[in-house]
Amino acid sequence: MDNTARIALVPPPDRRQSETALAIARGTARLLRSLGFTCISELPLPSGRRADLVALNERGEIWIVEIKSSVEDLRADQKWHEYRAHCDRLFFAFTQDLPCEIFPQDTGLIIADAYGAHLQCEAPEHKLAAATRKQMTVRFAMAAALRINRLVDPQGHAEFWE
């Protein structure tokens, strides 16, 4: 099967995300849209990892947002630094209940709830190489198109769910 089969069309609820994490994702996506980005949740990366939110704007900038719902969630995460290789800017999004000081200083910070978010601290820019940017942009576009197609024609995409 070709590479597109590995991208979830509409991510099935996997019950890994807490209600808090889902609320943070929703509010963060609203913020990103207000900044001119569109986003995809749970996007598999070329490295095999899966990013919580990947955002793309019309200039081709790619941001990744890692969602953290608790201090324990951050402490247990040993993979977040690998996302930097796939984006121009890397952010953490979390609720106002968590202190900003616990997050790495070389990332951006977004404070969010289910209704919106605030860009607390801008992330430093790490420009992607052209080949990586193209790979991520194509991956983003394929996932978005496949998810729309799945919504329009659920029965026509059964082979992707097997």
Side-chain angles (χ1 to χ4, degrees), residues 50-131:
R50 186 168 51 185
D52 292 334
L53 289 175
V54 178
L56 175 70
N57 69 12
E58 65 183 15
R59 292 186 307 274
E61 291 176 288
I62 298 170
W63 291 5
I64 291 181
V65 180
E66 178 68 3
I67 295 168
K68 293 296 163 207
S69 58
S70 67
V71 173
E72 294 77 24
D73 186 14
L74 177 64
R75 287 185 182 144
D77 186 354
Q78 300 299 312
K79 64 189 179 332
W80 67 265
H81 57 288
E82 295 177 32
Y83 297 150
R84 191 178 309 276
H86 305 291
C87 62
D88 295 303
R89 295 179 193 266
L90 178 62
F91 294 84
F92 281 99
F94 53 95
T95 66
Q96 65 182 359
D97 299 331
L98 297 179
C100 294
E101 298 77 33
I102 67 172
F103 293 94
Q105 291 184 352
D106 60 343
T107 61
L109 303 177
I110 297 170
I111 298 174
D113 62 23
Y115 304 101
H118 168 72
L119 187 60
Q120 179 72 21
C121 177
E122 185 69 51
E125 185 175 52
H126 303 276
K127 284 280 193 190
L128 287 175

Coordinates of all heavy atoms in Angstrom, one line a residue, residues 50-131:
R50 N 4.0 11.3 16.2 CA 2.8 11.9 15.8 C 2.6 13.2 16.6 O 2.7 13.2 17.8 CB 1.6 11.0 16.1 CG 0.3 11.5 15.6 CD -0.8 10.4 15.7 NE -0.8 9.8 17.0 CZ -1.6 8.8 17.3 NH1 -2.4 8.3 16.4 NH2 -1.6 8.3 18.6
A51 N 2.5 14.3 15.8 CA 2.4 15.7 16.4 C 0.9 15.9 16.8 O 0.0 15.6 16.1 CB 2.9 16.7 15.5
D52 N 0.8 16.6 18.0 CA -0.6 16.9 18.5 C -1.3 17.9 17.5 O -2.4 17.6 17.1 CB -0.5 17.5 19.9 CG -0.1 16.5 20.9 OD1 -0.3 15.3 20.7 OD2 0.4 17.0 21.9
L53 N -0.6 19.0 17.2 CA -1.1 19.9 16.2 C 0.0 20.4 15.3 O 1.1 20.7 15.8 CB -1.7 21.2 16.9 CG -3.0 21.1 17.6 CD1 -3.3 22.4 18.3 CD2 -4.2 20.7 16.7
V54 N -0.3 20.4 14.0 CA 0.7 20.9 13.0 C -0.1 22.0 12.3 O -1.2 21.8 11.8 CB 1.2 19.9 12.0 CG1 2.1 20.5 11.0 CG2 1.9 18.7 12.7
A55 N 0.5 23.2 12.2 CA -0.1 24.4 11.6 C 0.7 24.9 10.4 O 1.9 24.8 10.4 CB -0.2 25.5 12.7
L56 N 0.0 25.3 9.4 CA 0.6 25.8 8.1 C -0.1 27.1 7.7 O -1.3 27.2 7.8 CB 0.4 24.7 7.1 CG 0.9 25.0 5.6 CD1 2.4 25.1 5.6 CD2 0.3 24.0 4.7
N57 N 0.7 28.1 7.4 CA 0.1 29.3 6.9 C 0.4 29.5 5.4 O 1.1 28.7 4.8 CB 0.6 30.5 7.7 CG 2.0 30.9 7.6 OD1 2.7 30.5 6.7 ND2 2.5 31.8 8.5
E58 N -0.1 30.6 4.8 CA 0.1 30.8 3.4 C 1.5 31.1 2.9 O 1.8 30.9 1.8 CB -0.9 31.9 2.9 CG -0.6 33.3 3.4 CD -1.5 34.3 3.0 OE1 -2.6 34.0 2.5 OE2 -1.2 35.5 3.1
R59 N 2.4 31.5 3.9 CA 3.8 31.7 3.5 C 4.6 30.4 3.6 O 5.8 30.3 3.4 CB 4.4 32.7 4.5 CG 3.9 34.1 4.3 CD 4.6 35.1 5.2 NE 4.6 34.8 6.6 CZ 3.7 35.1 7.5 NH1 2.6 35.7 7.1 NH2 3.8 34.7 8.7
G60 N 3.9 29.3 4.0 CA 4.5 28.0 4.1 C 5.2 27.7 5.4 O 5.9 26.7 5.6
E61 N 5.0 28.6 6.4 CA 5.6 28.3 7.7 C 4.9 27.2 8.4 O 3.6 27.0 8.2 CB 5.4 29.6 8.6 CG 6.2 30.8 8.2 CD 5.9 32.0 9.1 OE1 4.8 32.5 9.0 OE2 6.7 32.3 9.9
I62 N 5.6 26.4 9.1 CA 5.1 25.2 9.7 C 5.4 25.3 11.2 O 6.6 25.4 11.6 CB 5.7 23.9 9.1 CG1 5.3 23.8 7.7 CG2 5.2 22.7 9.9 CD1 5.9 22.7 6.9
W63 N 4.4 25.2 12.0 CA 4.5 25.2 13.5 C 4.0 23.9 14.0 O 3.0 23.4 13.5 CB 3.7 26.3 14.1 CG 4.1 27.7 13.9 CD1 5.2 28.2 13.0 CD2 3.6 28.9 14.4 NE1 5.3 29.5 13.1 CE2 4.3 30.0 13.9 CE3 2.5 29.2 15.3 CZ2 4.0 31.3 14.3 CZ3 2.2 30.5 15.6 CH2 3.0 31.5 15.1
I64 N 4.6 23.4 15.0 CA 4.1 22.2 15.7 C 3.8 22.7 17.2 O 4.6 23.4 17.8 CB 5.1 21.1 15.7 CG1 5.2 20.5 14.3 CG2 4.7 20.0 16.7 CD1 6.1 19.3 14.1
V65 N 2.6 22.2 17.7 CA 2.2 22.5 19.0 C 2.0 21.2 19.8 O 1.3 20.3 19.3 CB 0.9 23.3 19.1 CG1 0.5 23.6 20.5 CG2 1.0 24.6 18.2
E66 N 2.8 21.0 20.8 CA 2.7 19.9 21.7 C 1.8 20.3 22.9 O 2.0 21.3 23.5 CB 4.1 19.5 22.2 CG 4.1 18.3 23.1 CD 3.7 17.0 22.5 OE1 3.4 16.9 21.3 OE2 3.7 16.0 23.2
I67 N 0.7 19.5 23.1 CA -0.2 19.8 24.1 C 0.1 19.1 25.4 O 0.4 17.9 25.4 CB -1.7 19.4 23.7 CG1 -2.0 20.3 22.5 CG2 -2.7 19.5 24.8 CD1 -3.3 19.8 21.7
K68 N 0.1 19.8 26.5 CA 0.4 19.2 27.8 C -0.8 19.6 28.8 O -1.1 20.7 29.0 CB 1.7 19.7 28.4 CG 2.9 19.3 27.6 CD 3.0 17.8 27.6 CE 3.9 17.2 26.6 NZ 3.6 15.9 26.2
S69 N -1.4 18.5 29.3 CA -2.5 18.7 30.2 C -2.2 18.7 31.7 O -3.0 19.0 32.5 CB -3.6 17.6 29.9 OG -3.0 16.3 30.1
S70 N -0.9 18.3 32.0 CA -0.5 18.3 33.4 C 1.0 18.3 33.5 O 1.7 18.1 32.5 CB -1.1 17.0 34.1 OG -0.5 15.9 33.5
V71 N 1.5 18.5 34.7 CA 2.9 18.5 35.0 C 3.4 17.1 34.7 O 4.5 16.9 34.1 CB 3.2 18.9 36.4 CG1 4.7 18.7 36.8 CG2 2.8 20.3 36.7
E72 N 2.6 16.1 35.1 CA 3.0 14.7 34.9 C 3.1 14.4 33.4 O 4.0 13.6 33.0 CB 2.0 13.7 35.5 CG 1.9 13.8 37.0 CD 1.2 15.0 37.6 OE1 0.3 15.6 36.8 OE2 1.5 15.4 38.7
D73 N 2.2 14.9 32.6 CA 2.2 14.7 31.1 C 3.6 15.3 30.6 O 4.2 14.6 29.7 CB 1.0 15.5 30.5 CG 0.9 15.2 29.0 OD1 1.5 14.3 28.5 OD2 0.1 16.0 28.4
L74 N 4.0 16.4 31.0 CA 5.3 17.0 30.6 C 6.4 16.2 31.0 O 7.3 15.9 30.2 CB 5.4 18.4 31.1 CG 6.7 19.1 30.7 CD1 6.9 19.3 29.2 CD2 6.9 20.5 31.4
R75 N 6.4 15.8 32.3 CA 7.6 15.0 32.8 C 7.7 13.6 32.1 O 8.8 13.1 31.9 CB 7.4 14.7 34.3 CG 7.6 16.0 35.1 CD 7.6 15.7 36.6 NE 7.8 16.9 37.3 CZ 7.2 17.2 38.5 NH1 6.3 16.4 39.0 NH2 7.4 18.3 39.1
A76 N 6.6 13.0 31.7 CA 6.6 11.7 31.1 C 7.0 11.8 29.6 O 7.4 10.8 29.0 CB 5.2 11.1 31.1
D77 N 7.0 13.0 29.0 CA 7.3 13.2 27.6 C 8.8 13.3 27.3 O 9.4 14.3 27.7 CB 6.5 14.4 27.0 CG 6.6 14.5 25.6 OD1 7.4 13.8 24.9 OD2 6.0 15.5 25.0
Q78 N 9.3 12.3 26.7 CA 10.7 12.4 26.3 C 11.0 12.6 24.8 O 12.1 12.5 24.4 CB 11.4 11.1 26.8 CG 11.3 10.8 28.3 CD 12.0 11.9 29.1 OE1 13.1 12.3 28.8 NE2 11.3 12.4 30.1
K79 N 9.9 12.8 24.1 CA 10.0 12.8 22.6 C 9.8 14.2 22.0 O 10.1 14.4 20.9 CB 9.0 11.9 22.0 CG 7.6 12.2 22.3 CD 6.6 11.2 21.8 CE 5.2 11.5 22.1 NZ 4.8 12.3 23.2
W80 N 9.4 15.2 22.8 CA 9.0 16.5 22.2 C 10.1 17.2 21.4 O 9.9 17.8 20.4 CB 8.4 17.4 23.3 CG 9.5 17.8 24.3 CD1 9.8 17.3 25.5 CD2 10.4 18.9 24.2 NE1 10.8 17.9 26.1 CE2 11.2 18.9 25.3 CE3 10.7 19.8 23.2 CZ2 12.3 19.8 25.5 CZ3 11.7 20.8 23.3 CH2 12.5 20.7 24.5
H81 N 11.3 17.0 21.9 CA 12.5 17.7 21.2 C 12.7 17.2 19.8 O 13.2 17.8 18.9 CB 13.7 17.6 22.0 CG 14.1 16.2 22.4 ND1 13.4 15.4 23.3 CD2 15.1 15.4 21.9 CE1 14.0 14.2 23.3 NE2 15.0 14.2 22.5
E82 N 12.2 16.0 19.5 CA 12.3 15.4 18.1 C 11.4 16.1 17.1 O 11.6 16.1 15.9 CB 11.9 13.9 18.1 CG 12.9 13.1 18.9 CD 12.5 11.6 19.0 OE1 11.9 11.1 18.0 OE2 12.7 11.0 20.0
Y83 N 10.4 16.8 17.6 CA 9.5 17.5 16.7 C 10.1 18.7 16.0 O 9.7 19.2 14.9 CB 8.2 18.0 17.4 CG 7.4 16.9 18.0 CD1 6.6 17.1 19.2 CD2 7.3 15.7 17.4 CE1 5.9 16.1 19.7 CE2 6.6 14.6 18.0 CZ 5.8 14.9 19.1 OH 5.1 13.9 19.6
R84 N 11.1 19.3 16.6 CA 11.8 20.5 16.1 C 12.3 20.3 14.7 O 12.3 21.2 13.9 CB 12.9 20.9 17.0 CG 13.5 22.3 16.7 CD 14.6 22.7 17.6 NE 14.2 22.7 19.0 CZ 13.6 23.6 19.7 NH1 13.1 24.6 19.1 NH2 13.4 23.4 21.0
A85 N 12.7 19.0 14.3 CA 13.2 18.7 13.0 C 12.2 18.8 11.9 O 12.5 18.8 10.7 CB 13.8 17.3 13.0
H86 N 10.9 19.0 12.3 CA 9.8 19.0 11.4 C 9.0 20.3 11.3 O 7.9 20.4 10.7 CB 8.8 17.8 11.7 CG 9.5 16.5 11.7 ND1 10.0 15.9 10.6 CD2 9.8 15.7 12.8 CE1 10.5 14.7 11.0 NE2 10.4 14.6 12.3
C87 N 9.5 21.4 12.0 CA 8.8 22.6 12.0 C 9.8 23.8 12.1 O 10.9 23.7 12.4 CB 7.9 22.6 13.2 SG 8.7 22.5 14.8
D88 N 9.2 25.0 11.8 CA 9.9 26.2 11.9 C 9.9 26.8 13.3 O 10.8 27.4 13.7 CB 9.3 27.3 11.0 CG 9.5 26.9 9.5 OD1 10.6 26.7 9.0 OD2 8.4 26.9 8.8
R89 N 8.8 26.5 14.0 CA 8.7 26.9 15.4 C 8.0 25.8 16.2 O 7.0 25.2 15.7 CB 7.9 28.2 15.5 CG 8.6 29.4 14.9 CD 7.7 30.6 15.0 NE 8.2 31.7 14.1 CZ 9.0 32.6 14.5 NH1 9.4 32.7 15.7 NH2 9.4 33.6 13.7
L90 N 8.4 25.6 17.4 CA 7.8 24.6 18.3 C 7.2 25.2 19.5 O 7.9 26.0 20.2 CB 8.9 23.6 18.7 CG 8.5 22.4 19.6 CD1 7.4 21.5 19.0 CD2 9.7 21.6 20.0
F91 N 6.0 24.9 19.8 CA 5.3 25.4 21.0 C 4.8 24.3 21.9 O 4.5 23.2 21.5 CB 4.0 26.2 20.5 CG 4.3 27.4 19.7 CD1 4.6 27.3 18.3 CD2 4.3 28.7 20.3 CE1 4.9 28.5 17.6 CE2 4.6 29.8 19.6 CZ 4.9 29.7 18.2
F92 N 4.5 24.7 23.1 CA 3.8 23.9 24.1 C 2.5 24.7 24.4 O 2.5 25.9 24.5 CB 4.5 23.7 25.4 CG 5.5 22.7 25.4 CD1 6.9 23.0 25.2 CD2 5.2 21.3 25.5 CE1 7.9 22.0 25.1 CE2 6.2 20.3 25.4 CZ 7.5 20.7 25.3
A93 N 1.4 24.0 24.4 CA 0.1 24.6 24.8 C -0.4 23.9 26.0 O -0.3 22.6 26.2 CB -1.0 24.4 23.7
F94 N -0.9 24.6 27.0 CA -1.3 24.1 28.3 C -2.3 25.0 28.9 O -2.6 26.2 28.4 CB -0.1 23.9 29.2 CG 0.8 25.2 29.3 CD1 0.6 26.0 30.3 CD2 1.7 25.5 28.3 CE1 1.4 27.2 30.4 CE2 2.5 26.6 28.4 CZ 2.3 27.5 29.5
T95 N -2.9 24.6 30.0 CA -3.9 25.5 30.7 C -3.2 26.5 31.6 O -2.0 26.3 32.0 CB -4.9 24.6 31.6 OG1 -4.1 24.0 32.6 CG2 -5.6 23.5 30.8
Q96 N -4.0 27.4 32.0 CA -3.4 28.5 32.9 C -3.0 27.9 34.3 O -2.3 28.5 35.1 CB -4.3 29.6 33.1 CG -5.6 29.3 33.8 CD -6.6 30.5 33.8 OE1 -6.3 31.5 33.4 NE2 -7.8 30.2 34.4
D97 N -3.4 26.7 34.6 CA -3.1 26.0 35.9 C -1.7 25.6 36.0 O -1.2 25.4 37.1 CB -4.0 24.8 36.1 CG -5.5 25.2 36.1 OD1 -5.8 26.3 36.5 OD2 -6.3 24.3 35.8
L98 N -1.0 25.5 34.8 CA 0.4 25.1 34.8 C 1.3 26.3 34.8 O 1.1 27.2 34.0 CB 0.7 24.2 33.6 CG -0.1 22.8 33.6 CD1 0.3 22.1 32.3 CD2 0.2 22.0 34.8
P99 N 2.4 26.3 35.5 CA 3.4 27.4 35.5 C 4.2 27.4 34.2 O 4.7 26.3 33.8 CB 4.2 27.2 36.7 CG 4.1 25.7 37.0 CD 2.8 25.2 36.5
C100 N 4.4 28.5 33.6 CA 5.3 28.6 32.4 C 6.7 28.2 32.7 O 7.3 27.7 31.8 CB 5.3 30.1 31.9 SG 3.7 30.7 31.4
E101 N 7.2 28.3 33.9 CA 8.6 28.0 34.2 C 9.0 26.5 34.0 O 10.1 26.2 33.9 CB 8.9 28.4 35.6 CG 8.7 29.9 35.9 CD 7.3 30.3 36.1 OE1 6.4 29.6 36.6 OE2 7.0 31.5 35.7
I102 N 8.0 25.7 34.0 CA 8.3 24.2 33.9 C 8.6 23.8 32.4 O 9.1 22.7 32.2 CB 7.2 23.3 34.5 CG1 5.9 23.4 33.6 CG2 7.0 23.6 35.9 CD1 4.9 22.4 34.0
F103 N 8.3 24.7 31.5 CA 8.5 24.4 30.1 C 9.9 24.8 29.6 O 10.5 25.8 30.1 CB 7.4 25.0 29.2 CG 6.1 24.4 29.5 CD1 5.2 25.0 30.4 CD2 5.7 23.2 28.9 CE1 4.0 24.4 30.7 CE2 4.4 22.7 29.2 CZ 3.6 23.2 30.1
P104 N 10.4 24.1 28.6 CA 11.8 24.4 28.1 C 11.8 25.9 27.5 O 10.8 26.3 26.9 CB 12.0 23.4 26.9 CG 11.0 22.3 27.2 CD 9.9 22.9 27.9
Q105 N 12.9 26.6 27.8 CA 13.0 28.0 27.4 C 13.1 28.2 25.9 O 12.8 29.3 25.5 CB 14.2 28.6 28.1 CG 13.9 28.7 29.6 CD 15.1 29.5 30.3 OE1 16.1 29.8 29.7 NE2 14.9 29.8 31.6
D106 N 13.5 27.2 25.2 CA 13.7 27.4 23.7 C 12.5 27.0 22.9 O 12.6 26.6 21.8 CB 14.9 26.7 23.2 CG 14.9 25.2 23.5 OD1 14.1 24.7 24.3 OD2 15.7 24.5 22.9
T107 N 11.3 27.0 23.6 CA 10.0 26.8 22.9 C 9.1 27.9 23.2 O 9.2 28.6 24.1 CB 9.4 25.4 23.4 OG1 9.1 25.6 24.8 CG2 10.3 24.2 23.1
G108 N 8.0 28.0 22.3 CA 7.0 29.0 22.5 C 6.0 28.4 23.5 O 5.9 27.2 23.7
L109 N 5.2 29.3 24.1 CA 4.2 28.9 25.1 C 2.8 29.5 24.7 O 2.7 30.7 24.4 CB 4.6 29.4 26.5 CG 5.9 28.9 27.0 CD1 6.2 29.5 28.4 CD2 6.0 27.4 27.0
I110 N 1.8 28.6 24.7 CA 0.4 29.0 24.5 C -0.4 28.6 25.7 O -0.4 27.4 26.0 CB -0.1 28.3 23.2 CG1 0.7 28.8 22.0 CG2 -1.6 28.6 23.0 CD1 0.5 28.0 20.7
I111 N -1.1 29.5 26.2 CA -2.1 29.2 27.3 C -3.4 29.1 26.7 O -3.9 30.0 26.0 CB -2.0 30.2 28.4 CG1 -0.6 30.2 29.0 CG2 -3.0 29.9 29.5 CD1 -0.3 31.3 30.0
A112 N -4.1 28.0 26.9 CA -5.4 27.7 26.2 C -6.5 27.1 27.1 O -6.2 26.5 28.2 CB -5.1 26.8 25.1
D113 N -7.7 27.3 26.7 CA -8.8 26.5 27.2 C -9.7 26.1 26.0 O -9.3 26.3 24.9 CB -9.6 27.3 28.3 CG -10.2 28.6 27.8 OD1 -10.5 28.8 26.6 OD2 -10.5 29.5 28.6
A114 N -10.9 25.6 26.3 CA -11.7 25.1 25.2 C -12.2 26.2 24.2 O -12.6 26.0 23.1 CB -12.9 24.4 25.7
Y115 N -12.1 27.5 24.7 CA -12.7 28.6 23.9 C -11.7 29.5 23.2 O -12.1 30.3 22.3 CB -13.6 29.4 24.8 CG -14.7 28.5 25.5 CD1 -14.5 28.0 26.8 CD2 -15.7 28.0 24.7 CE1 -15.4 27.2 27.3 CE2 -16.7 27.2 25.3 CZ -16.5 26.8 26.6 OH -17.4 25.9 27.1
G116 N -10.5 29.4 23.5 CA -9.5 30.2 22.9 C -8.1 30.0 23.6 O -7.9 29.1 24.4
A117 N -7.2 30.8 23.1 CA -5.8 30.7 23.6 C -5.1 32.0 23.5 O -5.5 32.9 22.8 CB -5.1 29.6 22.9
H118 N -4.0 32.1 24.2 CA -3.1 33.3 24.2 C -1.7 32.9 24.0 O -1.2 31.9 24.6 CB -3.3 34.0 25.6 CG -2.3 35.1 25.8 ND1 -2.3 36.3 25.2 CD2 -1.2 35.1 26.6 CE1 -1.3 37.0 25.5 NE2 -0.6 36.3 26.4
L119 N -1.0 33.6 23.1 CA 0.4 33.3 22.8 C 1.2 34.0 23.9 O 1.4 35.2 23.8 CB 0.7 33.8 21.4 CG 2.1 33.5 20.9 CD1 2.3 32.0 20.8 CD2 2.3 34.1 19.5
Q120 N 1.6 33.2 24.9 CA 2.3 33.7 26.0 C 3.7 34.1 25.7 O 4.3 35.1 26.2 CB 2.3 32.7 27.2 CG 3.0 33.1 28.4 CD 2.2 34.2 29.2 OE1 1.0 34.4 29.0 NE2 2.9 34.9 30.0
C121 N 4.4 33.3 24.9 CA 5.8 33.4 24.6 C 6.0 32.9 23.2 O 5.7 31.8 22.9 CB 6.6 32.7 25.6 SG 8.4 32.7 25.3
E122 N 6.6 33.7 22.3 CA 6.9 33.4 20.9 C 8.0 32.3 20.9 O 8.9 32.4 21.7 CB 7.3 34.6 20.1 CG 7.5 34.4 18.7 CD 6.2 34.1 17.9 OE1 5.3 34.9 18.1 OE2 6.2 33.1 17.2
A123 N 7.9 31.4 20.0 CA 8.9 30.3 19.8 C 10.0 30.9 19.0 O 9.8 31.6 18.0 CB 8.3 29.1 19.2
P124 N 11.3 30.5 19.3 CA 12.4 30.9 18.4 C 12.2 30.2 17.0 O 11.7 29.0 16.9 CB 13.6 30.4 19.1 CG 13.2 29.4 20.1 CD 11.7 29.7 20.4
E125 N 12.7 30.8 16.0 CA 12.5 30.3 14.6 C 13.7 29.4 14.3 O 14.9 29.8 14.6 CB 12.4 31.4 13.6 CG 12.1 30.9 12.2 CD 11.9 32.0 11.2 OE1 12.8 32.9 11.2 OE2 10.9 32.0 10.5
H126 N 13.4 28.2 13.7 CA 14.4 27.3 13.2 C 14.0 26.9 11.8 O 13.2 26.0 11.7 CB 14.6 26.0 14.1 CG 14.9 26.3 15.5 ND1 16.1 26.5 16.0 CD2 14.1 26.5 16.6 CE1 16.1 26.8 17.3 NE2 14.9 26.8 17.7
K127 N 14.4 27.7 10.8 CA 13.9 27.5 9.5 C 14.2 26.0 9.0 O 15.3 25.5 9.1 CB 14.6 28.4 8.5 CG 14.1 29.8 8.6 CD 12.8 29.9 7.8 CE 12.4 31.3 7.6 NZ 11.0 31.4 7.0
L128 N 13.2 25.4 8.4 CA 13.3 24.1 7.9 C 14.1 24.1 6.5 O 14.0 25.1 5.8 CB 11.9 23.5 7.5 CG 11.1 23.1 8.7 CD1 9.7 22.6 8.2 CD2 11.8 21.9 9.4
A129 N 14.8 23.1 6.3 CA 15.4 22.9 4.9 C 14.3 22.8 3.9 O 13.2 22.3 4.2 CB 16.3 21.7 4.9
A130 N 14.6 23.2 2.7 CA 13.5 23.1 1.6 C 12.9 21.8 1.4 O 11.7 21.6 1.3 CB 14.1 23.7 0.3
A131 N 13.8 20.7 1.4 CA 13.2 19.4 1.2 C 12.3 18.9 2.4 O 11.3 18.3 2.1 CB 14.4 18.4 1.1

